């Protein structure tokens, strides 16, 4: 046997035709994969109950219900009570002897992507009632009035519910969102500036990729592996950039803004003699690092919880620490949606355990203790 | 780097570029030697672990030179010494364990090195290799990175002829296309299909040991047994496709090792389509000499079929023993030998009973072919149980299944294989019958370009999304 090169030359047209066929195949396969992905992992993020209130910011239509689905998660029914808060518990006058807890915060408190029967509010109410000796109900103001920090009326509305306690749930998303809060401009101005934007081809491609279901689900499968997640963060950095060590000036600014928002909430709560508790939920990357003791240069997964604890203490809020529970959870990173990053129903189960343990230790809502986990 | 990883592709690509940079033979030999050394060093950086390997190469070369010096006593001694050293380094279990080296050492591809070394020694002894094999030629041939891990077993004159020929042409554009297509197919087989079949098999075995209802056991057993041949084929032939493609870009034509083995309608034919270079090697150096010897010593024509059956048995029994060091592999070899020799016996009996013409007519009947193909697959599948598991596992599996269900499992595998393989053949035939201007569309370079691109996209997608590397090359351990 000897090496005999294949005889005959390629016709000149094939030098163009063959790469063209290759390219067309890739495009066709990508298109088909996108269609199939959209069929297998449908998504519906628009909430028909959502409306923008010019005064109060984001609201939900009272007595409304809607179905939403993230590509990674199941179909979820969102129901809103007569005040437009998530859940079916009435926001009317508090029943005699019932302890009313108000959940404040954004999507994590709202329970985005979490079926309501798995939400903290539903899970924790009966268990806390047992611990505290009174019926407990939750009013979920999570996600209501995204910019409630700037809007005294949201805080007034919250206090008008006569809560016995306020639980403020915060995630690194909320810290990252401070950039947007700071850069918000009057609506007209933003419309003009976006119209003037010259959207280039590369931007269009990036936008296309960002909205591609194939890419999204690709990330979903890749991020299933905790080591991959850590490897990706090590190589490309934390997209939220909340855990960078030392905290850069921009990060300090974000924390300062959040501190101001929390301060307003705490001040109003103090004036109304309502105890206020902060629950800081680290994101999936931080949880993975804490769980595996992974060391990534210039990243400290404890920055976010430590800063939140400091903010809470500055404003006289009690800080409920999750870290010990996350450290011991067998599959802590599975408690989050992998790409979306929101906590799942299982995370709310863990959160319920944390709260119940916390109040079992103290026995009352009225005077918070600082820390149950010993950290 | 013994697996078809991206690292392996990058290494091969750089080697090809450097190798084809200049036409000078010393340059090409230098590049090949450097590539081989780098390839070996990718397995371990501990030089001590290479010492037994180097010793084995040195022994083989010393034996070769001795045999070349035409000393009559040298041939059997060299042969036995090389075989003994192989058995010793491979730690065959019948040797007392205190004899073995007490430290871990590199032994990848040792079996293939044995075949190449024996080929050199025997052919030199028989006068087929007249020239003195230089140390460099020997090393380049023996540890050639494209064939070190799992073959194919190439003959020395072919290899050296291509590496040392100053006229050896560079691959043409169509060659480059064909080589890339081959590598993509191999990459797909090894990284996608083998991964899928390996998962199916592992799940089947796991479920088999769980206390499910009987029907669950049946399905698990079928999945565990019947998926393994496909896994092995994709794992092995995928790697071979890749190295054949790489070698083609190095202007080296490697022999084919597979030819659609599951299309075989007899076990004898199967072994002429599966691991072809091994079968050819054994035919050349075991079967033919043994049959000739037997016929020479016992020259009765009525005994000739018996000698053929016996030679078949011994040859394929050796295949089994070559595969592994334990008694399970001895039994695997027995099943191969039994399968091939029984097949031969059956052919003889049928030809005698019905006459050659009628038997040929029967053998070409589509229904007969379909059932024979199913039976060939089933027998190979059955014999492979001793290839992928050990005796305690075999006992456990069959005690879980029970005798009655075991029979049911093999009847279902036979029936299923008959139907699936017949369906596959029919589909293939139909697909190839679609022609434009007298040539099959599926074989046109336009279709093949689209197909290879598609396979590449799928493979890259699976590799990236599963975040898993291809299953270990099974034949790497041999």
């Amino acid at each position: 046997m000897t090496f005999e090169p294949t005889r005959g030359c390629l016709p000149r047209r094939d030098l163009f035709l063959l790469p063209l066929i290759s390219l067309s195949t890739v495009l066709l396969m990508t298109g088909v994969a996108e269609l199939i992905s959209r069929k297998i992992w449908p998504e519906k993020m628009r909430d028909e109950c959502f409306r923008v209130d010019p005064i109060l910011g984001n609201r939900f239509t009272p007595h409304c219900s809607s179905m939403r689905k993230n590509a990674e998660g199941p179909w979820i029914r969102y129901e809103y009570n007569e005040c437009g808060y998530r859940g079916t518990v009435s926001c009317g006058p508090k029943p005699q002897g019932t302890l009313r807890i108000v959940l404040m915060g954004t999507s994590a408190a709202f329970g985005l992507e979490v079926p309501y029967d798995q939400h903290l509010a539903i899970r924790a109410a009966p268990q806390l009632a047992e611990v505290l000796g009174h019926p407990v109900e939750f009013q979920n103001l999570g996600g209501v009035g995204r910019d409630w920090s700037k809007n005294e009326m949201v805080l007034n509305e919250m206090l008008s519910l006569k809560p016995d306690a306020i639980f403020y749930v915060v995630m690194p998303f909320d810290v990252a969102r401070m950039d947007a809060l700071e850069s918000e401009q009057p609506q007209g101005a933003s419309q003009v500036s976006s119209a003037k934007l010259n959207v280039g081809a590369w931007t269009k491609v990036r936008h296309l990729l960002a909205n591609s279901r194939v890419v999204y689900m690709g990330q979903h499968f890749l991020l299933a592996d905790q080591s991959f997640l850590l490897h990706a963060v090590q190589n490309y950095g934390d997209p939220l950039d909340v855990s960078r060590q030392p905290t850069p000036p921009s990060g300090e600014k974000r924390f300062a803004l959040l501190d101001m928002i929390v301060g307003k909430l705490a001040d109003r709560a103090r004036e109304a003699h309502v105890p206020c508790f902060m629950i800081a939920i680290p994101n999936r990357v931080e949880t993975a690092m804490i769980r595996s003791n992974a060391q990534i240069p210039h990243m400290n997964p404890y920055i976010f919880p430590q800063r939140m604890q400091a903010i809470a203490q500055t404003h006289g809020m009690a800080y409920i620490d999750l870290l010990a529970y996350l450290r011991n959870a067998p599959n802590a990173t599975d408690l989050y949606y992998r790409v979306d990053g929101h906590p799942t129903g299982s995370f709310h189960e863990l959160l319920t355990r944390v709260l119940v343990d916390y109040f079992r230790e103290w026995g009352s809502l009225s005077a918070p203790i600082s820390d149950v986990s010993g950290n | 780097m013994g697996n078809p990883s991206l690292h392996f592709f990058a290494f091969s690509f750089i080697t090809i570029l450097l190798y084809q940079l200049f036409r000078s033979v010393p340059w090409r030999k230098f590049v090949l030697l450097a590539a081989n050394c780098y390839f070996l060093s990718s397995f371990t950086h501990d030089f001590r672990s290479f010492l037994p390997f180097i010793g084995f190469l040195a022994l083989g070369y010393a034996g070769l030179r001795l045999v070349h010096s035409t000393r009559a006593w040298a041939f059997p001694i060299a042969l036995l010494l090389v075989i003994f050293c192989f058995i010793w380094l491979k730690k065959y279990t019948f040797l007392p364990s205190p004899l073995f080296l007490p430290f871990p050492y590199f032994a990848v591809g040792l079996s293939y090195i044995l075949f190449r070394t024996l080929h050199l020694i025997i052919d030199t002894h028989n006068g087929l290799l007249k020239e003195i094999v230089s140390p460099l030629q020997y090393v380049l041939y023996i540890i050639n990175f494209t064939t070190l891990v799992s073959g194919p077993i190439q003959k020395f004159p072919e290899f050296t002829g291509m590496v040392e020929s100053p006229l050896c042409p560079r691959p043409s554009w169509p060659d480059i296309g064909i080589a890339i297509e081959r590598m993509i197919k191999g990459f797909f087989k090894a990284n996608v299909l083998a991964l899928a079949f390996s998962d199916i098999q592992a799940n089947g075995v796991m479920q088999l040991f769980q206390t499910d209802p009987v029907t669950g056991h049946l399905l698990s057993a079928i999945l565990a047994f019947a998926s393994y041949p496909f896994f092995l084929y994709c794992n092995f032939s995928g790697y071979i496709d890749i190295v054949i493609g790489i070698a083609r870009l190095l202007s080296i034509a490697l022999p084919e090792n597979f030819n659609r083995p599951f299309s075989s309608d007899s076990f004898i034919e199967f072994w002429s389509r599966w691991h072809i270079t091994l079968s050819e090697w054994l035919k050349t150096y075991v079967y033919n000499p043994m049959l000739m010897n037997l016929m020479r010593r016992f020259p009765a024509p009525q005994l000739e079929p018996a000698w053929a059956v016996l030679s078949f048995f011994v040859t394929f029994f050796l295949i089994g023993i070559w595969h592994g060091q334990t008694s399970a592999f001895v039994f695997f070899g027995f099943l191969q030998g039994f399968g091939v020799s029984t097949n031969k016996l059956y052919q003889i009996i049928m030809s005698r009973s019905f006459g050659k013409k009628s038997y040929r007519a029967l053998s070409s009947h589509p229904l007969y072919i379909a059932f024979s193909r199913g039976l060939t697959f089933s027998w190979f599948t059955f014999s492979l149980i001793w290839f992928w598991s050990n005796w305690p596992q075999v006992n456990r599996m069959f005690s879980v299944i029970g005798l009655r269900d075991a029979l049911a499992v093999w009847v279902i595998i036979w029936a299923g294989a008959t139907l699936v393989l017949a369906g596959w053949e029919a589909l293939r035939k139909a697909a190839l019958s679609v022609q434009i201007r007298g040539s099959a569309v599926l074989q046109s370079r336009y279709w093949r370009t689209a197909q290879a691109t598609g396979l590449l996209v799928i493979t890259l997608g699976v590799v990236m999304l599963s975040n898993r590397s291809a299953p270990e090359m099974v034949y790497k351990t041999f």
Side-chain angles (χ1 to χ4, degrees):
Chain A
M1 182 187 278
T2 53
F3 177 74
E4 292 290 338
T6 309
R7 293 191 188 284
C9 307
L10 280 180
R12 186 176 284 272
R13 59 171 185 166
D14 280 6
L15 293 176
F16 302 99
L17 209 52
L18 296 180
L20 203 65
I21 288 173
S22 262
L23 187 68
S24 313
T25 308
V26 172
L27 290 175
L28 182 72
M29 288 182 76
T30 311
V32 170
E34 183 66 30
L35 287 177
I36 293 173
S37 300
R38 283 176 187 270
K39 191 81 187 159
I40 298 176
W41 298 289
E43 186 175 270
K44 181 184 167 281
M45 293 305 283
R46 204 174 68 82
D47 190 336
E48 289 87 358
C49 300
F50 179 79
R51 64 191 169 90
V52 179
D53 187 305
I55 303 163
L56 290 172
N58 298 345
R59 301 289 306 192
F60 295 97
T61 312
H63 294 303
C64 182
S65 77
S66 62
M67 294 293 285
R68 272 205 256 176
K69 188 186 177 305
N70 177 298
E72 291 182 280
W75 279 101
I76 293 169
R77 172 176 290 281
Y78 292 84
E79 288 177 287
Y80 303 96
N81 66 11
E82 69 268 37
C83 297
Y85 308 147
R86 192 175 178 197
T88 48
V89 177
S90 168
C91 60
K94 190 167 62 175
Q96 190 73 33
T98 296
L99 297 172
R100 176 173 277 177
I101 299 170
V102 168
L103 280 175
M104 294 294 288
T106 55
S107 52
F110 174 78
L112 193 68
E113 329 293 0
V114 178
Y116 210 58
D117 59 345
Q118 295 174 23
H119 191 280
L120 161 76
I122 297 296
R123 288 183 195 270
Q127 295 185 49
L128 284 178
E130 201 178 301
V131 169
L132 300 170
H134 292 279
V136 171
E137 68 161 48
F138 278 83
Q139 290 298 327
N140 188 345
L141 269 72
V144 172
R146 185 172 58 80
D147 52 353
W148 57 265
S149 58
K150 293 179 180 175
N151 199 325
E152 287 292 308
M153 289 176 79
V154 178
L155 294 176
N156 290 341
E157 182 180 323
M158 181 264 289
L159 290 173
S160 73
L161 293 168
K162 306 261 181 269
D164 295 288
I166 298 165
F167 287 179
Y168 175 56
V169 183
V170 61
M171 278 194 80
F173 299 136
D174 302 317
V175 180
R177 195 174 283 134
M178 293 301 126
D179 297 339
L181 278 185
E182 197 193 29
S183 62
E184 258 174 17
Q185 294 171 27
Q187 212 174 15
S190 77
Q191 276 171 352
V192 171
S193 61
S194 66
K196 281 180 183 171
L197 272 178
N198 184 13
V199 181
W202 177 236
T203 313
K204 279 181 188 166
V205 170
R206 284 183 62 174
H207 180 72
L208 211 65
L209 284 176
N211 289 302
S212 160
R213 196 67 47 83
V214 175
V215 174
Y216 190 91
M217 291 316 293
Q219 291 178 68
H220 172 82
F221 290 113
L222 279 175
L223 293 172
D225 183 358
Q226 184 177 297
S227 59
F228 179 87
L229 171 71
L230 294 173
H231 190 69
V233 171
Q234 185 159 9
N235 287 336
Y236 305 109
D238 174 17
L240 293 180
D241 201 20
V242 171
S243 303
R244 202 187 322 166
Q245 190 177 45
T247 307
S250 57
E252 288 295 351
K253 213 169 177 179
R254 289 162 157 191
F255 282 121
L257 268 169
L258 192 79
D259 179 76
M260 195 182 74
I261 290 168
V262 172
K264 276 186 185 174
L265 171 70
D267 289 347
R268 294 298 308 274
R270 198 178 310 109
E271 283 165 19
H273 304 289
V274 182
C276 214
F277 301 82
M278 182 191 276
I279 305 161
I281 302 175
N283 65 16
R284 192 165 180 254
V285 175
E286 290 154 357
T287 299
M289 287 179 72
I290 290 167
R291 184 78 184 83
S292 62
N293 275 325
Q295 301 291 320
I296 296 178
H298 310 297
M299 259 194 90
N300 178 357
Y302 295 98
I303 283 183
F304 170 71
Q306 282 168 358
R307 295 297 289 258
M308 290 303 106
Q309 186 167 14
I311 289 173
Q313 283 166 355
T314 307
H315 299 291
M317 289 168 89
Y319 180 76
I320 300 179
D321 195 349
L322 297 177
L323 294 191
Y325 290 81
L326 282 177
R327 234 178 259 126
N328 295 324
N331 296 312
T333 49
D334 293 345
L335 302 176
Y336 297 83
Y337 286 101
R338 295 171 200 160
V339 187
D340 174 86
H342 279 97
T344 62
S346 306
F347 196 103
H348 279 245
E349 189 183 353
L350 178 127
L351 210 53
T352 303
R353 212 164 55 238
V354 175
L355 288 178
V356 171
D357 286 352
Y358 183 89
F359 288 106
R360 185 173 284 131
E361 177 106 344
W362 186 243
S364 157
L365 272 183
S366 58
I369 53 176
S370 60
D371 193 338
V372 78
S373 68
N375 280 289
Chain B
M1 251 200 314
N3 270 16
S5 59
L6 293 175
H7 181 196
F8 178 65
F9 279 107
F11 153 76
S12 305
F13 182 64
I14 292 167
T15 305
I16 291 161
L17 284 182
L18 291 173
Y19 187 85
Q20 299 289 9
L21 198 61
F22 303 111
R23 304 312 296 148
S24 132
V25 174
W27 167 257
R28 287 192 309 205
K29 284 166 102 171
F30 167 74
V31 171
L32 208 52
L33 182 67
N36 292 342
C37 292
Y38 178 79
F39 183 71
L40 284 177
S41 73
S42 71
F43 288 94
T44 170
H45 296 305
D46 178 14
F47 182 72
R48 200 175 75 136
S49 68
F50 278 113
L51 289 178
F53 183 81
I54 293 169
F56 187 64
L57 296 189
L59 176 77
Y61 188 68
L64 175 65
R65 291 303 292 262
L66 267 179
V67 172
H68 193 267
S69 66
T70 62
R71 288 181 187 128
W73 52 266
F75 176 64
I77 289 177
L79 214 59
L80 288 175
L81 254 177
V82 168
I83 293 172
F84 173 77
C85 263
F86 169 77
I87 290 169
W88 172 58
L89 288 176
K90 291 293 281 184
K91 297 186 178 176
Y92 272 72
T93 51
F94 59 80
L95 286 181
S97 52
L99 270 185
F100 300 138
L101 292 172
F103 58 91
Y105 52 85
F106 177 79
V108 171
L110 217 56
S111 303
Y112 290 96
I113 290 176
L114 173 78
F115 285 126
R116 285 191 275 267
T117 308
L118 292 183
H119 147 65
L120 286 174
I121 292 175
I122 296 169
D123 279 14
T124 302
H125 172 71
N126 292 342
L128 295 170
L129 283 178
K130 294 197 175 15
E131 300 293 316
I132 294 177
V133 177
S134 74
L136 182 60
Q137 283 177 319
Y138 176 77
V139 168
L140 287 179
Y141 169 64
I142 295 284
I143 62 165
N144 172 24
F145 78 91
T146 56
T147 55
L148 175 77
V149 173
S150 59
I153 307 163
Q154 188 170 35
K155 294 203 168 159
F156 177 77
E158 289 172 4
F159 174 78
T160 307
M162 287 179 273
V163 172
E164 297 194 341
S165 164
L167 302 172
C168 191
R170 284 193 174 112
S172 59
W173 279 112
D175 274 318
I176 294 171
I178 290 167
I180 291 173
E181 179 194 15
R182 194 74 192 260
M183 284 192 274
I184 290 172
K185 275 187 182 172
F187 194 39
F188 174 73
K189 279 190 203 169
N191 283 276
V192 179
L193 296 181
L195 190 69
F197 284 121
S198 147
D199 283 352
I200 292 170
Q201 209 248 348
N203 284 335
V205 173
M206 203 176 68
Q207 282 168 15
L208 189 59
F209 293 136
Q210 286 172 357
T211 51
D212 285 331
V214 175
T215 47
H217 280 321
L218 278 182
L219 185 65
S220 310
I222 291 165
L223 287 177
F225 297 146
S227 57
Y228 193 79
F230 292 115
F231 159 70
L232 190 62
Y233 172 70
C234 295
N235 178 270
F236 192 10
S237 75
Y239 189 82
I240 294 292
D241 284 341
I242 292 168
V243 294
I244 285 179
I246 291 169
R248 197 180 179 106
L249 295 176
L250 290 167
S251 303
I252 297 172
L254 292 183
E256 291 294 339
N257 225 13
F258 293 91
N259 177 20
R260 303 197 302 114
F262 299 130
S263 300
S264 315
D265 54 24
S266 75
F267 206 54
I268 294 175
E269 191 197 351
F270 175 84
W271 272 106
S272 67
R273 288 166 170 262
W274 175 279
H275 209 336
I276 297 168
T277 55
L278 174 67
S279 310
E280 285 293 316
W281 192 97
L282 286 162
K283 193 174 137 193
T284 309
Y285 296 110
V286 180
Y287 178 81
N288 286 346
M290 187 180 168
L291 186 62
M292 291 296 174
N293 252 319
L294 285 168
M295 281 164 59
R296 209 177 300 129
R297 276 167 192 256
F298 310 98
Q302 66 271 27
L303 283 175
E304 278 176 16
W307 299 147
V309 170
L310 180 66
S311 303
F312 262 127
F313 180 83
V314 171
T315 306
F316 287 90
F317 178 61
L318 285 178
I319 282 189
I321 297 177
W322 166 77
H323 276 92
Q325 301 88 336
T326 60
S327 59
F329 284 98
V330 174
F331 191 66
F332 171 70
F334 169 78
L335 291 175
Q336 300 310 311
F338 181 78
V340 175
S341 53
T342 306
N343 193 177
K344 185 71 191 167
L345 200 62
Y346 169 79
Q347 285 174 348
I348 293 166
I349 292 169
M350 290 295 279
S351 296
R352 281 188 182 168
S353 308
F354 297 100
K356 277 186 181 168
K357 205 174 167 185
S358 304
Y359 176 54
R360 207 175 295 132
L362 174 70
S363 328
S364 52
H365 192 279
L367 209 61
Y368 181 88
I369 291 175
F371 276 110
S372 303
R373 204 182 278 134
L375 185 63
T376 302
F377 176 84
S378 306
W379 182 256
F380 184 58
T381 304
F382 177 71
S383 68
L384 279 178
I385 296 173
W386 284 267
F387 182 90
W388 56 262
S389 60
N390 52 32
W391 281 110
Q393 285 169 332
V394 173
N395 289 337
R396 199 170 156 211
M397 279 188 287
F398 280 100
S399 64
V400 167
I401 304 167
L403 185 66
R404 196 195 58 184
D405 289 340
L407 279 173
V409 163
W410 291 105
V411 168
I412 293 169
I413 289 179
W414 183 9
T418 301
L419 286 173
V420 170
L421 296 175
W424 174 255
E425 288 298 320
L427 197 70
R428 187 173 177 276
K429 203 174 162 186
L432 286 173
S433 68
V434 181
Q435 297 192 339
I436 294 177
R437 288 184 205 153
S439 51
V441 171
L442 283 190
Q443 288 173 341
S444 77
R445 60 175 165 271
Y446 305 112
W447 173 263
R448 282 161 57 197
T449 301
Q451 187 194 35
T453 309
L455 292 183
L456 183 64
V457 170
I458 292 171
T459 312
L460 289 176
V462 169
V463 168
M464 284 194 289
L465 294 186
S466 68
N467 199 25
R468 289 164 65 188
S469 48
E472 277 286 299
M473 266 294 301
V474 174
Y475 273 72
K476 195 163 94 175
T477 51
F478 299 145

